Amino acid sequence: MAAHCVNLSKFFNVTWVRHQPKQNLIKSFASPAPTGEARHLEALTVLMPNTCSFKCLKALHARFAVTGSIRDNSVVTGLVERYLSLGKPAPAASLFAEAYNSRPMVYSLNLAVRCFSDHGFHRELLDLYRELCGFGSDNFTFPPVIKACTAVSCLRLGREVHCRVLRTGHGGNVGVQTALLDLYAKAGLIDVSRRVFDAMVERDLISWNAMVSGYSLNGCFQEAVEALQEMQQGGIRLNASTLVGIIGMCGGVEAKDVGSSLHALAMKYGVIADESLTSAFISMYSAFDNLSSSRLVFNMQPMKDLVAFNSMISAYMQHCNWKEAFEVFRLMHCAGLGPNLVTVVSVLPCCNEFFGINQGESVHGMIIKSGLSEQVSVVSALVSMYSKLGKLHSALLLFCCFTEKNNLVWNSMISGYLVNNEWSKALDAFCKMQIEGVAPDATGIINVISGCRHTKDLHMAKSIHAYAVRNKFESNQIVMNALLAMYADCGDISASYTLFQKMGIRMLVSWNTMISGFAEIGDSEASLMLFCQMCHEEVQFDLVTLIGVISALSVSEDVIVGESVHSLAVKSGCNSDVSLTNALITMYTNCGIVEAGQKLFDSCSANTITYNALMSGYRKNNLSERILPLFYHMVKNDVKPNLVTLLNLLPVCQSQLQGKSIHSYAVRNFTRLETALFTSAMCMYSRFNNIEYCSKIFSLVGDRNIILWNAFLSACVQCKQADVLVHLFKHMLFLNVKPDAVTMLSLISACSQLGDADFAACVTALILQRGFGAKVVVLNALIDMHSRCGSISFARELFDSSVEKDSVTWGAMINAYSMHGNGEAALDLFSVMIDSGVVPDDITFVSILSACGHSGFVEQGRTLFKSLQAVYGITPRMEHYACMVDLLGRTGHLDEAFDIVRSMPFRPSDNLLESLLGACRFHGNSKIGESVGKLLIESEHGKSRSYVMLSNIYASAGKWSECEQLRSDMEAKGLRKDVGVSLIGMV
């Protein structure tokens, strides 16, 4: 540029001009140019195409004006061309208007119009045409003008030009007609475009391509194919531009046969190697889910350009084939092609979805090297990548260093906070965004709504809603649907329903959101009502609607309506979807119809969620023995378990070895272990009394929340490690971890195990001080704790002071009297409970029957046992039968007790039989004792206690031969009597 400036100063002879007297200057400009000046002008004309500075070009322009050469067509055209090349359309238009201020020739106008069109200054072209169109136009003027109308979507001016074309008699020109049909097609008036096409006497390849492209652009796939066939029948040889539009449509309408035919047609006409067709075919086969064909098209291209690489990367990305997409990116790099914006934005998600921070940082370095690091879309993609990789600090650093933050960058940062569960920071960023003068768009509103849904802050939810209303987002259906879901997640389903009723246009998503919202709170009636209203308003339901309704019925366990919805799903053709099958399995198993769930499972292509649904159904219906075989079946079929699978498996492990295997599988296969898995593993180990492993798991977790603390405390209770629990609780308070009600329940259980009344008083004081005394569940545990520690009077004080009493509260106090042998007080309290209108549950009946047994109240016990099912509709469980047998056995009613044993609908437990056998020995009834003993020996495997008890009964009755035979059987099985141990002196 400096060289140009030096040359220009030489040609202009600035010094000579500056030192001439004024009169001489006027004389020189008025007289004919000297021969030397002509040489200068010729040199300037040669220099003009190479001028790259706007300042130098203006100097050239001035020199041409001074010499009077500004009216020369070549000079004007050259100057206009250079002005437009430098991105200065205004001086170019002014130059043209100034040069031909009287009446420009059509030829000159056409040159200027062509220059403006070629450089993409369409609006300036139209302004120039409006000013000079009165001086005449021809076949070369109209096509660029019509093209400019198309580019700026100015249909009105395009129609005016069309009228002028017809008036001036240029309507039969192929170029003009082609430009017109393209204008109308891109304006959406494909019928008008077709009329223009039909009126054409001569049609060339460009005209046909424009018509086919117009059909493709307007989604008229069949018409585009027919036009292509008509074109071939007319003997027009197609090219790559003919096929590109139709190929792009094939993927959208899933026309695989047409796509394959077009591919064959491209090979037939020898245009398959065209770069535009390569990317089009790659995208088409990707839309057909045929990535192998996409890759084959890509590999067959001898010279691959950047567009082809980007298309292949995009195809893999759309199918979540992160590894293959990144491999194509590496091939592109090896081929010496630098990435562009499309490449970078496409390949960065590979790093956060499949690879990791190392690849992400490498791509970031390549971006910096290629000079794309300051592009808004690239910065946004980098912020998103670092956030999803957990490197929130790096994302924040990029964000803060970028000065030109727009909505896209802010939204990426807010999403990054949300991905990393930094809900409050996301809301703060949303507020800061507005302070810095960036008005949030719909995406920003939806992001902050998502954060509010997780924090469940109803006050903030209402503020966001108010902001959306103030800023006219009520017409945005996506924002309104997000608000519906937000209120539902924040627990205010009534506000969600009110907003739903006010919506002018209710999309299917709106109905689905409300149906699912009511389903989540267990209001199946409201979900069904909405579903019926939806059908009444002729809104066509979809798969999501049916899943929402079925989920609601799963909660209410309404199998009759559920079967009707299942039938509707079959009729609508939605039953083949595995997501619906999973919801149906859950519904049927929740309703207790496990066989129906099993049949659905057997009839579908089960995925991980399907297996989990059936496992959860087995657990709910106490069929835990079926879960492990189902898991083996899952592994055999190469279905990968997830966290929910392991959470179903750990509670049903039959041995510690099985539990360890599942725990090891989780450690090996999961990169990030959730809190739920840690707590479930600790519960599993505590079942096998392995507090050591529970402690190891707890110590390995870095970020310990209250749920993890509670799980470990519960494990200590399960393993009878009350002292360890108390120590842990003190350490927890030292670390300022705030306990909750569940923590207090574990502490109360530990205190009950210790049986220390003084410590119980301290625990009670702590609970009352921290405000947990108002919780009914905590108060019930306190009543039980004090009764076990011997403070029955204080337990009664707590009971009387309770404002809100549920059936568990009454049961706890009744059980307290039962443990202390005060059956009369227990019966009196039970009568008060009934008079208060509180319906006793099955656990309360266990407590009151136990109290009758300890006090020998046979008649009261009989009456209560009969009322269990007759009055309260409670099916007696093993515990109820055991209490009744114990009561009758203690009081000598052995025949009646044995009749109850024989009438039980299930096999009696060993504890029940041992209780009756002990009563037979106490009362000397060897006949019943022998029958009960035989039942007990048959039911037990390897226990010596039953043999010893029955042997003692035989000995008491003088049946020594039976006694000796029994002891011989015991020795033959290798059983020995347990050795007695004294607790005295063992400390």
Side-chain angles (χ1 to χ4, degrees):
M1 188 179 294
H4 290 319
C5 292
V6 171
N7 292 336
L8 285 174
S9 63
K10 181 181 69 174
F11 285 125
F12 288 158
N13 200 1
V14 175
T15 306
W16 175 82
V17 172
R18 188 176 297 164
H19 289 24
Q20 292 293 321
K22 187 173 182 182
Q23 294 81 2
N24 293 344
L25 284 174
I26 296 172
K27 182 179 178 180
S28 65
F29 291 151
S31 61
T35 306
E37 188 69 19
R39 288 198 300 271
H40 287 312
L41 292 175
E42 184 180 354
L44 289 175
T45 305
V46 174
L47 182 63
M48 184 169 53
N50 299 317
T51 306
C52 299
S53 166
F54 179 57
K55 183 178 179 181
C56 294
L57 188 61
K58 285 175 68 178
L60 276 173
H61 185 176
R63 184 60 180 167
F64 282 126
V66 167
T67 60
S69 303
I70 200 66
R71 293 184 181 277
D72 184 83
N73 277 335
S74 61
V75 172
V76 173
T77 305
L79 285 172
V80 169
E81 174 74 26
R82 292 315 300 157
Y83 274 125
L84 295 176
S85 298
L86 295 174
K88 303 293 182 180
S94 300
L95 166 63
F96 188 83
E98 179 184 336
Y100 302 106
N101 54 8
S102 58
R103 182 178 181 85
M105 292 187 298
V106 174
Y107 173 74
S108 303
L109 178 61
N110 289 347
L111 286 176
V113 165
R114 177 61 64 185
C115 286
F116 276 88
S117 179
D118 290 344
H119 287 86
F121 292 104
H122 301 294
R123 292 189 183 278
E124 292 79 2
L125 186 156
L126 294 176
D127 292 338
L128 182 66
Y129 179 74
R130 287 190 186 100
E131 185 178 350
L132 302 174
C133 64
F135 297 116
S137 303
D138 62 8
N139 292 335
F140 297 98
T141 315
F142 290 119
V145 173
I146 297 169
K147 178 183 176 183
C149 294
T150 305
V152 300
S153 302
C154 188
L155 181 61
R156 181 178 178 180
L157 181 58
R159 283 173 166 164
E160 291 177 6
V161 174
H162 191 178
C163 292
R164 186 171 285 112
V165 165
L166 296 176
R167 285 200 307 268
T168 56
H170 296 96
N173 182 268
V174 176
V176 174
Q177 289 174 315
T178 302
L180 283 170
L181 74 88
D182 186 59
L183 165 72
Y184 289 121
K186 289 179 178 175
L189 303 174
I190 192 64
D191 294 335
V192 180
S193 181
R194 181 69 199 201
R195 286 201 296 271
V196 173
F197 182 76
D198 290 339
M200 294 177 68
V201 179
E202 296 181 4
R203 300 168 184 163
D204 59 6
L205 177 61
I206 299 174
S207 306
W208 280 101
N209 286 352
M211 194 66 247
V212 172
S213 176
Y215 278 132
S216 302
L217 187 66
N218 286 273
C220 304
F221 177 71
Q222 189 61 38
E223 290 82 353
V225 173
E226 290 173 358
L228 181 62
Q229 292 171 346
E230 188 180 348
M231 175 182 176
Q232 288 182 278
Q233 291 168 3
I236 304 296
R237 183 180 179 85
L238 56 83
N239 63 4
S241 300
T242 317
L243 298 175
V244 167
I246 308 181
I247 293 169
M249 288 189 68
C250 289
V253 299
E254 297 184 0
K256 295 183 180 180
D257 293 338
V258 176
S260 300
S261 300
L262 291 174
H263 195 171
L265 205 60
M267 296 178 70
K268 176 182 176 181
Y269 284 95
V271 296
I272 190 66
D274 189 274
E275 294 171 351
S276 61
L277 283 185
T278 300
S279 58
F281 278 123
I282 289 171
S283 301
M284 181 191 75
Y285 284 118
S286 172
F288 295 156
D289 296 329
N290 189 354
L291 285 177
S292 59
S293 294
S294 292
R295 188 58 186 263
L296 187 61
V297 171
F298 176 77
N299 291 338
M300 289 178 66
Q301 186 73 3
M303 296 295 293
K304 303 176 182 68
D305 63 352
L306 188 58
V307 177
F309 277 102
N310 286 346
S311 297
M312 196 66 244
I313 292 171
S314 178
Y316 279 130
M317 291 294 296
Q318 288 170 8
H319 291 79
C320 301
N321 289 19
W322 319 113
K323 185 178 180 181
E324 291 81 359
F326 203 80
E327 184 61 34
V328 174
F329 176 67
R330 284 177 176 170
L331 288 174
M332 183 186 102
H333 181 64
C334 294
L337 291 174
N340 62 5
L341 287 177
V342 177
T343 319
V344 170
V345 173
S346 297
V347 83
L348 280 174
C350 294
C351 303
N352 54 261
E353 294 290 348
F354 183 79
F355 291 102
I357 190 64
N358 293 333
Q359 284 80 357
E361 289 177 342
S362 299
V363 175
H364 190 179
M366 192 179 297
I367 290 169
I368 295 172
K369 186 178 178 181
S370 60
L372 298 171
S373 58
E374 293 300 316
Q375 297 292 330
V376 173
S377 57
V378 174
V379 173
S380 174
L382 284 169
V383 168
S384 178
M385 180 198 73
Y386 281 116
S387 301
K388 290 178 180 178
L389 288 171
K391 302 293 181 180
L392 193 58
H393 176 72
S394 299
L396 187 59
L397 185 63
L398 268 173
F399 174 78
C400 293
C401 292
F402 190 65
T403 54
E404 299 178 5
K405 302 182 185 74
N406 64 359
N407 271 310
L408 185 63
V409 181
W410 277 102
N411 290 341
S412 294
M413 194 65 245
I414 293 172
S415 297
Y417 283 129
L418 295 176
V419 168
N420 289 274
N421 300 330
E422 298 285 354
W423 319 118
S424 58
K425 289 184 179 179
L427 296 175
D428 292 341
F430 180 76
C431 297
K432 189 176 179 182
M433 173 184 182
Q434 298 169 69
I435 293 171
E436 294 191 6
V438 181
D441 57 5
T443 304
I445 298 289
I446 292 167
N447 278 335
V448 78
I449 287 173
S450 176
C452 193
R453 288 176 64 182
H454 285 89
T455 58
K456 302 189 185 303
D457 187 342
L458 187 59
H459 178 72
M460 179 60 73
K462 291 179 178 179
S463 300
I464 294 168
H465 187 186
Y467 178 88
V469 172
R470 283 199 311 271
N471 291 274
K472 313 300 181 185
F473 284 103
E474 283 182 303
S475 59
N476 190 304
Q477 291 295 315
I478 300 175
V479 172
M480 297 306 291
N481 292 327
L483 287 170
L484 289 179
M486 176 189 70
Y487 277 120
D489 288 340
C490 291
D492 194 351
I493 194 68
S494 59
S496 185
Y497 185 63
T498 302
L499 179 62
F500 174 76
Q501 288 179 313
K502 290 180 180 179
M503 289 174 68
I505 301 174
R506 298 171 185 167
M507 299 170 63
L508 178 59
V509 178
S510 312
W511 289 95
N512 290 345
T513 302
M514 288 310 307
I515 289 171
S516 299
F518 280 115
E520 285 178 7
I521 63 171
D523 194 345
S524 59
E525 186 177 346
S527 291
L528 284 172
M529 180 197 71
L530 278 170
F531 180 65
C532 295
Q533 183 183 347
M534 173 184 173
C535 296
H536 179 72
E537 295 184 14
E538 297 182 353
V539 179
Q540 181 59 46
F541 61 84
D542 65 355
L543 182 67
V544 179
T545 319
L546 294 175
I547 291 174
V549 175
I550 292 169
S551 299
L553 296 172
S554 297
V555 177
S556 64
E557 300 182 5
D558 191 342
V559 71
I560 297 174
V561 180
E563 287 175 341
S564 301
V565 177
H566 188 181
S567 301
L568 184 63
V570 173
K571 290 179 181 178
S572 62
C574 296
N575 61 310
S576 59
D577 189 274
V578 69
S579 301
L580 186 74
T581 303
N582 298 337
L584 286 169
I585 290 172
T586 302
M587 182 199 71
Y588 280 119
T589 53
N590 279 359
C591 295
I593 310 176
V594 182
E595 294 76 14
Q598 184 72 56
K599 287 181 180 178
L600 283 167
F601 176 85
D602 294 336
S603 64
C604 74
S605 298
N607 59 15
T608 304
I609 300 174
T610 316
Y611 278 96
N612 291 343
L614 190 57
M615 286 181 185
S616 300
Y618 284 153
R619 284 188 63 194
K620 182 175 177 62
N621 290 276
N622 298 318
L623 297 171
S624 300
E625 67 279 0
R626 297 188 186 180
I627 294 178
L628 283 172
L630 184 61
F631 173 68
Y632 299 143
H633 184 269
M634 179 181 187
V635 175
K636 183 180 178 182
N637 289 337
D638 294 327
V639 180
K640 190 176 181 180
N642 62 6
L643 176 65
V644 178
T645 314
L646 302 187
L647 294 179
N648 275 319
L649 288 171
L650 285 170
V652 300
C653 292
Q654 298 170 354
S655 66
Q656 190 171 188
L657 181 61
Q658 283 182 343
K660 284 182 179 179
S661 301
I662 296 168
H663 186 192
S664 301
Y665 178 88
V667 172
R668 287 195 310 270
N669 293 278
F670 292 171
T671 55
R672 182 179 178 183
L673 299 180
E674 301 288 339
T675 301
L677 188 64
F678 288 125
T679 58
S680 186
M682 281 195 282
C683 291
M684 181 271 297
Y685 285 120
S686 66
R687 284 195 295 115
F688 299 108
N689 205 30
N690 192 341
I691 193 65
E692 181 184 354
Y693 272 39
C694 295
S695 179
K696 286 181 179 178
I697 292 173
F698 182 75
S699 61
L700 287 173
V701 181
D703 186 15
R704 300 170 189 163
N705 55 20
I706 189 62
I707 299 173
L708 205 64
W709 279 95
N710 288 342
F712 192 27
L713 295 176
S714 178
C716 292
V717 172
Q718 180 82 12
C719 297
K720 309 294 183 186
Q721 299 288 332
D723 293 332
V724 177
L725 185 147
V726 173
H727 174 74
L728 273 172
F729 181 74
K730 291 178 181 178
H731 185 59
M732 178 180 172
L733 295 179
F734 176 76
L735 296 175
N736 292 323
V737 179
K738 189 176 180 181
D740 60 7
V742 179
T743 317
M744 293 304 172
L745 291 175
S746 296
L747 184 63
I748 291 170
S749 298
C751 188
S752 299
Q753 290 179 6
L754 293 171
D756 189 336
D758 293 334
F759 185 61
C762 294
V763 170
T764 304
L766 178 67
I767 289 171
L768 296 176
Q769 179 191 11
R770 290 186 174 263
F772 292 107
K775 293 185 178 293
V776 177
V777 64
V778 176
L779 185 68
N780 297 342
L782 283 174
I783 293 171
D784 182 72
M785 178 188 72
H786 282 288
S787 64
R788 292 179 185 277
C789 292
S791 303
I792 188 69
S793 58
F794 189 72
R796 184 58 193 253
E797 287 181 22
L798 287 172
F799 175 81
D800 292 336
S801 65
S802 174
V803 178
E804 183 183 353
K805 298 182 181 74
D806 59 6
S807 60
V808 180
T809 314
W810 290 91
M813 196 63 235
I814 291 170
N815 187 58
Y817 283 128
S818 173
M819 285 191 296
H820 286 259
N822 194 345
E824 186 175 352
L827 286 170
D828 291 342
L829 190 60
F830 184 79
S831 299
V832 175
M833 173 185 176
I834 301 299
D835 294 339
S836 301
V838 180
V839 180
D841 56 14
D842 56 339
I843 298 175
T844 309
F845 270 101
V846 171
S847 299
I848 193 63
L849 287 173
S850 178
C852 292
H854 291 154
S855 301
F857 296 153
V858 179
E859 289 302 323
Q860 293 89 331
R862 285 177 179 148
T863 303
L864 288 168
F865 187 74
K866 290 177 182 177
S867 68
L868 185 65
Q869 190 163 18
V871 178
Y872 299 103
I874 299 173
T875 303
R877 296 189 288 110
M878 183 68 73
E879 291 83 354
H880 302 112
Y881 284 108
C883 289
M884 201 61 206
V885 168
D886 180 66
L887 168 61
L888 295 172
R890 284 173 183 265
T891 54
H893 298 81
L894 300 178
D895 292 326
E896 187 177 351
F898 192 54
D899 288 341
I900 289 177
V901 170
R902 287 184 293 187
S903 65
M904 287 173 63
F906 38 76
R907 186 181 183 87
S909 66
D910 295 341
N911 291 334
L912 184 151
L913 293 174
E914 284 181 358
S915 171
L916 183 55
L917 188 60
C920 291
R921 182 189 175 191
F922 180 80
H923 292 285
N925 192 329
S926 59
K927 181 180 178 182
I928 296 177
E930 184 177 359
S931 301
V932 174
K934 288 179 179 178
L935 284 174
L936 195 56
I937 290 172
E938 290 173 2
S939 67
E940 291 199 48
H941 303 282
K943 289 187 178 180
S944 61
R945 185 170 58 247
S946 301
Y947 286 90
V948 173
M949 291 177 68
L950 184 57
S951 174
N952 291 335
I953 288 176
Y954 282 142
S956 300
K959 297 181 178 181
W960 299 107
S961 59
E962 288 85 351
C963 180
E964 289 297 329
Q965 180 62 42
L966 194 63
R967 290 188 176 273
S968 299
D969 293 343
M970 184 176 173
E971 291 177 2
K973 293 180 179 179
L975 300 176
R976 293 185 179 182
K977 182 180 177 181
D978 295 333
V979 180
V981 178
S982 174
L983 296 177
I984 299 174
M986 291 187 66
V987 180

